[in-house]
């Protein structure tokens, strides 16, 4: 640390960034943690220990997340393997996978599963005719099934990326040294791709712990942590924030320990592929093709069902909560665009502003962290990763506890929704930005400065243009995840500021499936159109496999 | 920026369309979409203003009003029962709306701190497709039959005031053994809207819920559903609206309450959301297929006692075995 550091604009920018992060990330988190110990009423931790319902909620959440993680890995890894290594009939469908998870709101997915596997579901009724009785879809069966079929894509995407980077020459070397093909693949490939699989599996674990929408709809009488936190936050008669803060703290602790475990694994063993030459996919035809294609296709079709349901539902007439199947109408969509366009406009505005802020902030801050390190930047790096450990419900509870009143009262304004969006999604832009900047040589910028362009201008004129394609794809990913955000915004929104996901959640809760489907279809369009425009018009590889 | 169409669009929209609701009245409501939309339409017609709506559970809304005391955001709260509202009296301002003249004295809140807007009656909602040979129950006591084990759903009293009304009423109406047998058959749901949905979707044969929720599915044309008002007497809850202290919309907030209580709005609410009106000058069966209040047996419940004993009752309730427990 020298005095010279203070004279650069970068130091002061770092300070500003750290202050913003402290105020909007650390301070709310601190508020939750202190309220769990010092909040009004009996100590939150004592209440958690003494109340069987809360103990069960914690245990159930851990069991659920573990089960979902295992199943997602069992579906995602083989699917990734066959997709990366073979071509077979129907493979093109599987390329749609990453899109599916991004565009289907979880509330709608859960509702669709009920239509198929609930007590009155199509599949349930069909099986009952053969005397097979399925367990009730409310509870473990439903929660595990629907979460697995949504989250397996994260394992799939991670594994596909790892396998395609894997150098096939290693495998050939192993084979030429006398190992059988299948065995050599396992022996050589597994250690290399295992950290990635594990990382995606742990991501699934944390998402299952934090899941709000599906848990809310399907858990019914099974206590779960996220539902208990939400209910503590909105329960009638609960007058202090101690309980919700304590439950949120439990969830933070769980996710933190998972993230540390992940770090530890990643550090422990690392195999570097210096210059990978991915294997060419081998064609599978005939029976082999069918054997692989059928199950893979089935997985994709099942994941697509919610999308089909909302497309049909959006154009189906309804009377109150009852769908009049077979009677078609544009009324539901007219409602979305004409009668009650508020949620659509709100979503576009809030998610748009939040995406803009996230991207600008994360581009600038990752530049500071990677290219202009000073004593503050490691802290910026740590603090900006903290939201990854916070589920939406936890973040919502924290923001409510912090900005509800006091010197910075944001409750009742649109800014608290935008804030929730930015805090929740900014870390993705940060990680993306840092990855890109590591690949931009310093010499580029140094050349610009030595030619007489001031440092800040050099950033805008030299570094930013090189970063732009990556920034654009990060912007689109940020947009898609922001516009679908529900669990934090549902805790902080106020009158007239409903977004599309909030409106869909409320409509499904009131049983109004037709309206919910129409808003759902529009949400899907709002997510898909930028992706399509980006890939087709601007040629940006949004789902870059890298 | 020219490379980033999304951000450009966002910025454009952000500058063009910041939602501004400063002057319009804002309604904090725990009511579902069709209900508050009927009120929005009535306010638009009568006052020519847009009624902003924020929805949520009664508890969260009331605590939000409490938290916003220094910076009041809402004008009117609608609706909750007297025993929920009792704890939040300090947040509201008495308003003797001229429309109260048409509402029976017995329904009114002391000092007109809150205005009775409608009456909820508990119904037994039955999906006749799922009876499997059993007879549709028409009384509370019939639900004690083990044939109903796991086939009856009701809202969780700990999370829902509807659930609390039902559970408390049953504990007073039935003898202890029958009460325990009924409770042993029920499955509770954290969300009260899951109850009619569960019966209508065929998840449960019987649901205990307010008529406003169950009748919507019958009105929608699901002929396999039927409603029963139990012969021993059903439970009634009066729902109130309240004028929030320091309402920013001022006089418009009062006029919003007048509109909410008006005959036109109450008929519209009855037709759209099947809310039984608090006014005495509306004949329910002229508008929907529900019986008149005078034709239904109602079991009187001491609401003050129910509210005062809440914690003890819920603790005892939590100890009782229920059908959903075994997992």
């Amino acid at each position: 640390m020298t005095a010279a550091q203070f004279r650069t604009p970068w130091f002061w920018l770092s300070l500003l960034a750290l202050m913003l992060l402290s105020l909007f990330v650390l301070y709310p988190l601190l508020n939750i943690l202190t309220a769990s110990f010092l909040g009004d009423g009996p100590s939150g931790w004592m209440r958690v220990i003494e109340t069987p319902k809360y103990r069960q909620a914690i245990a159930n959440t851990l069991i659920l997340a573990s089960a979902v993680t295992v199943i997602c890995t069992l579906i995602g890894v083989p699917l990734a393997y066959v997709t990366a290594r073979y071509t077979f009939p129907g493979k093109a469908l599987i390329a749609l996978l990453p899109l599916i998870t991004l565009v289907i709101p979880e509330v709608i997915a859960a509702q669709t599963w009920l239509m198929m596997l609930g007590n009155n579901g199509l599949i349930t009724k069909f099986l009952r005719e053969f005397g097979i009785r399925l367990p009730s879809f409310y509870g473990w069966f439903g929660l595990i099934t629907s979460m697995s079929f949504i989250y397996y894509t994260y394992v799939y995407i991670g594994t596909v990326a790892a396998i395609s980077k894997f150098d096939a020459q290693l495998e050939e070397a192993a084979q030429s040294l006398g190992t059988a093909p299948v065995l050599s693949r396992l022996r050589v490939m597994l250690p290399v791709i295992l950290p990635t699989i594990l990382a995606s599996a742990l991501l699934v674990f944390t998402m299952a712990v934090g899941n709000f929408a599906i848990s809310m709809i399907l858990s019914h009488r099974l206590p779960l942590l996220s539902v208990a936190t939400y209910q503590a936050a909105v329960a009638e008669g609960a007058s202090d924030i101690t309980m919700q803060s304590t439950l949120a703290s439990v969830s933070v602790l769980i996710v933190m320990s998972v993230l540390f475990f992940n770090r530890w694994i990643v550090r422990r063993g690392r195999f570097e592929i210096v210059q990978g030459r991915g294997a060419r996919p081998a064609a599978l035809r005939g029976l082999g093709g069918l054997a692989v294609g059928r199950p893979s296709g089935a997985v994709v079709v099942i994941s697509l069902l919610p999308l089909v349901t909302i497309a049909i539902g959006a154009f189906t007439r309804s009377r109150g909560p009852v769908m009049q199947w077979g009677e078609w109408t544009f009324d539901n969509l007219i409602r979305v665009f004409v009668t009650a366009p508020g949620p659509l406009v709100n979503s576009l505005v809030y998610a748009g502003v939040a995406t803009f802020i996230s991207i600008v902030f994360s581009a600038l801050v990752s530049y500071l962290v990677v290219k202009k390190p000073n004593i503050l930047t490691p802290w910026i790096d740590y603090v900006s990763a903290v939201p990854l450990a916070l589920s939406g419900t936890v973040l919502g509870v924290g923001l409510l506890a912090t900005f509800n009143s006091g010197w910075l009262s944001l409750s009742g304004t649109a800014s608290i929704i935008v804030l929730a969006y930015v805090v929740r999604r900014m870390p993705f832009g940060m990680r993306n930005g840092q990855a890109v900047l590591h690949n931009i040589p310093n010499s580029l910028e140094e050349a610009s400065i030595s030619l007489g362009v001031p440092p800040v201008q050099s950033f805008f004129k030299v570094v930013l243009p090189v970063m732009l394609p990556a920034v654009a794809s990060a912007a689109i990913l940020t947009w898609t995840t922001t516009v679908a955000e529900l669990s934090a915004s549902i805790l902080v929104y106020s009158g007239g500021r409903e977004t599309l996901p909030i409106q869909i959640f409320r409509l499904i809760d009131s049983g109004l499936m037709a309206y919910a489907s129409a808003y759902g279809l529009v949400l899907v369009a709002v997510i898909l159109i930028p992706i399509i425009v980006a890939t087709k018009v601007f040629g940006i590889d949004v789902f870059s496999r890298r | 920026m020219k490379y980033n169409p999304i951000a450009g669009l966002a910025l454009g929209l952000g500058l063009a369309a910041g939602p501004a609701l400063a002057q319009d009245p804002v309604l904090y409501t725990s009511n579902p979409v069709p209900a508050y939309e009927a009120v929005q339409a009535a306010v638009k017609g009568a006052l020519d203003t847009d009624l902003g709506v924020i929805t949520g559970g009664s508890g969260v809304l009331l605590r939000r009003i409490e938290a916003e005391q220094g910076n009041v955001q809402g004008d009117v709260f609608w609706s909750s029962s007297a025993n929920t509202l009792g704890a939040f009296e300090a947040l509201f301002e008495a308003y003797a709306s001229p429309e109260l003249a048409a509402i029976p004295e017995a329904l009114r809140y002391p000092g007109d701190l809150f205005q009775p807007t409608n009456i909820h009656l508990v119904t037994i909602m039955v999906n006749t497709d799922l009876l499997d040979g059993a007879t549709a129950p028409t009384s509370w006591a019939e639900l004690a039959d083990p044939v109903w084990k796991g086939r009856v759903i009701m809202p969780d009293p700990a999370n829902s005031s509807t659930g609390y009304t039902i559970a408390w009423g049953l504990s007073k109406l039935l003898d202890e053994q029958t009460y325990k047998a009924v409770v042993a058959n029920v499955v509770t749901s954290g969300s009260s809207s899951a109850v009619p949905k569960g019966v209508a979707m065929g998840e449960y044969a019987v649901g205990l819920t307010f008529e406003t929720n169950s009748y919507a599915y019958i009105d929608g044309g699901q002929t396999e559903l039927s409603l029963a008002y139990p012969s021993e007497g059903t439970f009634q809850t009066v729902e109130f609206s309240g004028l929030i202290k320091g309402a920013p919309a001022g006089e418009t907030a009062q006029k919003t309450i007048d509109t909410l209580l008006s005959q036109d709005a109450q008929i519209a609410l009855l037709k759209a959301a099947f809310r039984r009106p608090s006014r005495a000058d509306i004949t329910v069966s002229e508008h929907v297929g529900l019986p008149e209040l005078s034709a239904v047996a109602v079991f009187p419940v001491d609401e003050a006692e129910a509210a005062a004993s809440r914690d003890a009752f819920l603790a005892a309730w939590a100890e009782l075995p229920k059908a959903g427990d075994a997992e």
Side-chain angles (χ1 to χ4, degrees):
Chain A
M1 188 72 204
T2 61
Q5 278 199 358
F6 292 112
R7 283 198 292 273
T8 66
W10 306 118
F11 177 80
W12 299 106
L13 276 174
S14 310
L15 189 66
L16 180 68
L18 191 58
M19 281 165 62
L20 286 173
L21 285 168
S22 306
L23 175 60
F24 293 120
V25 178
L26 281 189
Y27 183 46
L29 183 61
L30 209 67
N31 264 332
I32 300 178
L33 296 176
T34 49
S36 75
F37 286 106
L38 307 171
D40 301 332
S43 157
W45 294 96
M46 284 314 288
R47 275 190 265 176
V48 167
I49 292 165
E50 281 165 7
T51 318
K53 193 190 145 189
Y54 292 137
R55 289 202 309 264
Q56 279 167 19
I58 296 169
N60 288 342
T61 299
L62 292 174
I63 296 169
L64 173 69
S66 312
V68 170
T69 307
V70 169
I71 295 175
C72 285
T73 313
L74 291 180
I75 301 177
V77 173
L79 194 66
Y81 181 77
V82 298
T83 323
R85 280 306 176 82
Y86 302 107
T87 56
F88 48 88
K91 187 182 166 179
L93 254 182
I94 295 178
L96 288 171
L97 269 179
L99 288 173
I100 298 169
T101 32
L102 282 172
V103 301
I104 300 178
E106 287 177 0
V107 256
I108 289 186
Q111 193 69 15
T112 315
W113 281 102
L114 271 181
M115 285 177 172
M116 288 186 289
L117 282 165
N119 283 348
N120 199 30
L122 291 175
I123 300 173
T124 319
K125 282 206 279 197
F126 178 75
L127 288 178
R128 209 175 282 158
E129 286 182 17
F130 298 96
I132 304 169
R133 282 197 174 260
L134 291 177
S136 168
F137 201 66
Y138 292 104
W140 292 113
F141 177 44
L143 287 166
I144 293 175
T145 312
S146 37
M147 282 194 202
S148 300
F149 270 94
I150 290 173
Y151 291 147
Y152 78 93
T153 359
Y154 292 93
V155 179
Y156 166 83
I157 295 173
T159 315
V160 163
I163 293 180
S164 48
K165 264 196 298 189
F166 175 74
D167 192 347
Q169 292 177 62
L170 284 178
E171 201 180 316
E172 285 155 16
Q175 273 180 47
S176 70
L177 290 173
T179 324
V182 177
L183 208 62
S184 65
R185 271 192 191 174
L186 284 180
R187 281 238 190 106
V188 184
M189 189 192 276
L190 219 51
V192 180
I193 63 169
L194 209 55
T196 317
I197 295 179
L198 210 72
S200 1
L202 290 177
L203 175 68
V204 169
F205 187 92
T206 59
M207 285 195 299
V209 168
N211 178 287
F212 169 74
I214 297 174
S215 308
M216 197 66 192
I217 293 174
L218 292 179
S219 69
H220 245 202
R221 60 225 184 211
L222 195 72
L224 286 177
L225 195 52
S226 61
V227 178
T229 312
Y230 176 78
Q231 279 172 347
V234 304
E236 292 178 31
S239 55
D240 56 60
I241 62 162
T242 312
M243 205 60 238
Q244 70 213 53
S245 301
T246 313
L247 292 171
S249 305
V250 173
S251 152
V252 171
L253 287 181
I254 294 175
V255 175
M256 284 291 214
S257 26
V258 170
L259 291 181
F260 279 119
F261 180 63
N262 186 18
R263 255 184 118 88
W264 180 72
I265 293 277
V266 169
R267 285 210 179 138
R268 225 172 118 248
R270 190 154 202 167
F271 296 85
E272 290 263 359
I273 299 295
V274 181
Q275 204 169 22
R277 175 174 70 80
R280 279 180 77 91
L284 281 178
R285 289 199 188 82
L287 277 182
L290 277 183
V292 172
R294 280 270 178 79
S296 314
V299 166
V300 177
V301 168
I302 291 172
S303 323
L304 269 173
L305 267 176
L307 204 56
V308 177
T309 317
I310 59 167
I312 296 174
F315 293 100
T316 297
R317 191 180 296 285
S318 75
R319 186 169 163 86
V322 184
M323 305 288 282
Q324 317 284 323
W325 297 110
E327 290 178 34
W328 305 98
T329 180
F330 282 106
D331 287 355
N332 305 327
L333 282 167
I334 289 173
R335 194 187 153 78
V336 176
F337 290 107
V338 183
T339 329
L344 175 60
V345 175
N346 290 343
S347 267
L348 292 176
V349 174
Y350 304 156
V353 173
T355 304
F356 180 74
I357 296 174
S358 299
I359 290 305
V360 170
F361 185 81
S362 53
L364 181 70
V365 170
S366 24
Y367 176 76
L368 292 175
V369 170
V370 177
K371 298 292 185 191
K372 304 286 164 192
N374 56 43
I375 49 158
L376 297 178
T377 50
W379 294 101
I380 297 179
D381 196 18
Y382 290 136
V383 178
S384 64
V386 166
L388 290 173
L390 309 180
S391 71
T393 310
V394 172
L395 180 64
V397 166
L399 292 179
L400 267 187
T402 311
F403 301 112
N404 206 18
S405 52
W407 64 273
L408 186 59
S409 171
L410 298 177
S411 80
T413 68
S415 49
I416 196 163
I417 303 176
V418 173
L419 178 63
Y421 281 171
V422 172
V423 174
R424 190 131 195 247
R425 303 305 188 201
M426 169 270 298
F428 299 108
M430 282 285 294
R431 294 209 300 191
N432 176 72
Q434 295 195 19
V436 173
L437 280 164
H438 277 298
N439 292 331
I440 299 176
N442 292 344
S443 53
L444 212 61
E445 197 184 350
E446 283 156 10
S448 164
I449 297 174
S450 72
L451 287 173
V453 185
V456 179
Q457 269 188 44
S458 290
F459 169 75
F460 282 106
K461 287 197 167 164
V462 178
V463 182
L464 203 58
V466 184
M467 284 176 77
L468 260 178
V471 168
S473 84
I476 289 160
L477 282 180
T478 307
W479 166 263
T480 55
T481 50
T482 303
V483 91
E485 208 286 333
L486 171 71
S487 46
S489 42
I490 199 162
L491 279 167
V492 300
Y493 86 100
S494 53
R497 302 209 160 82
E498 299 79 9
T499 61
L500 287 171
I502 293 174
Q503 187 72 356
I504 295 166
F505 182 77
R506 284 180 2 181
L507 287 167
I508 286 184
D509 190 54
S510 316
L512 301 173
M513 249 330 247
Y515 292 161
S517 303
Y519 281 105
L521 194 63
V522 171
L523 176 57
V524 169
V526 164
I527 292 168
L528 268 183
I529 290 169
I531 297 178
I532 294 169
V533 170
T535 29
K536 298 286 175 201
V537 181
F538 295 92
I540 296 165
D541 184 9
V542 177
F543 301 102
S544 58
R545 305 260 151 79
R546 251 165 255 158
Chain B
M1 267 314 103
K2 65 187 167 190
Y3 294 101
N4 194 335
I6 305 304
L9 174 79
L11 197 64
L13 278 170
L15 293 174
L21 298 162
Q23 292 308 305
D24 293 335
V26 173
L27 178 71
Y28 280 25
T29 181
S30 49
N31 289 290
V33 184
Y36 71 69
E37 281 187 351
V39 176
Q40 280 179 310
V43 168
K44 184 85 184 166
L47 310 177
D48 196 31
T49 49
D50 291 312
L51 179 63
V53 164
I54 165 144
T55 63
S58 304
V60 69
L61 292 174
L62 288 165
R63 280 197 290 119
R64 187 173 201 149
I65 295 169
E66 194 166 36
E68 288 169 353
Q69 267 173 307
N71 175 23
V72 181
Q73 305 284 326
D75 295 287
V76 176
F77 172 81
W78 176 61
S79 57
S80 203
S81 60
N83 55 37
T84 303
L85 288 169
F88 296 92
E89 284 187 348
L91 306 177
F92 293 90
E93 206 169 303
Y95 174 55
S97 165
E99 300 287 342
L100 287 171
I103 295 171
E105 191 66 36
L107 300 181
R108 287 167 68 170
Y109 198 92
D112 291 325
L113 189 58
F114 301 104
Q115 302 77 33
T117 54
N118 62 287
I119 300 165
H120 282 314
L121 292 181
V122 179
T123 53
I124 298 184
M125 181 187 186
V126 178
N127 188 327
T128 54
D129 282 353
L130 301 177
L131 288 177
D132 281 347
T135 0
T138 55
S139 72
W140 296 118
E142 282 171 63
L143 293 174
D145 190 327
V147 75
W148 298 116
K149 184 153 186 75
R151 297 165 73 190
V152 182
I153 184 170
M154 68 170 275
D156 184 352
N159 288 315
S160 146
S161 51
T162 315
Y164 191 77
T165 303
I166 297 170
W168 174 265
L170 285 175
S171 76
K172 292 284 155 189
L173 186 146
L174 299 170
D175 64 79
E176 194 182 340
Q177 199 189 349
T178 321
Y179 170 65
K180 282 186 175 162
V182 172
V183 176
N185 284 342
V186 301
V187 172
T188 59
S189 156
S191 138
S192 47
S193 61
V195 173
K197 223 178 349 178
V199 178
M201 282 177 73
E203 304 285 328
Y204 294 92
V206 176
L208 311 182
T209 176
F210 286 143
E211 61 184 352
T212 168
N213 304 318
S214 46
Y215 183 73
Y217 291 86
I218 294 173
D219 179 76
Q222 284 195 257
T223 50
E224 74 276 22
L225 303 176
S226 68
L227 294 189
Y229 296 84
S231 52
E232 305 100 320
T234 190
F235 312 118
Q236 164 186 306
T237 305
V238 182
E239 293 271 297
F240 294 89
S241 64
L243 178 65
I244 298 170
K245 211 175 252 176
E251 206 182 317
T252 318
Q254 299 186 344
K255 285 191 177 144
T256 304
I257 291 183
D258 296 343
T259 311
L260 181 61
L261 299 173
S262 69
Q263 196 188 31
D264 286 351
Q266 296 236 319
I267 291 177
L269 266 172
L270 176 60
K271 285 176 162 173
F274 320 112
R275 291 304 165 102
R276 189 175 284 277
S278 56
R279 294 176 71 101
D281 56 1
I282 298 169
T283 311
V284 171
S285 53
E286 271 178 19
H287 305 284
V288 291
L290 291 172
E292 298 305 315
L293 186 57
S294 54
V296 176
V298 174
F299 179 79
V301 167
D302 183 348
E303 294 209 21
E305 188 197 351
S309 323
R310 186 180 161 89
D311 289 346
F313 180 79
L314 286 180
W317 170 269
E319 295 301 313
L320 292 176
K322 287 164 219 78
D325 291 346
E327 297 260 350

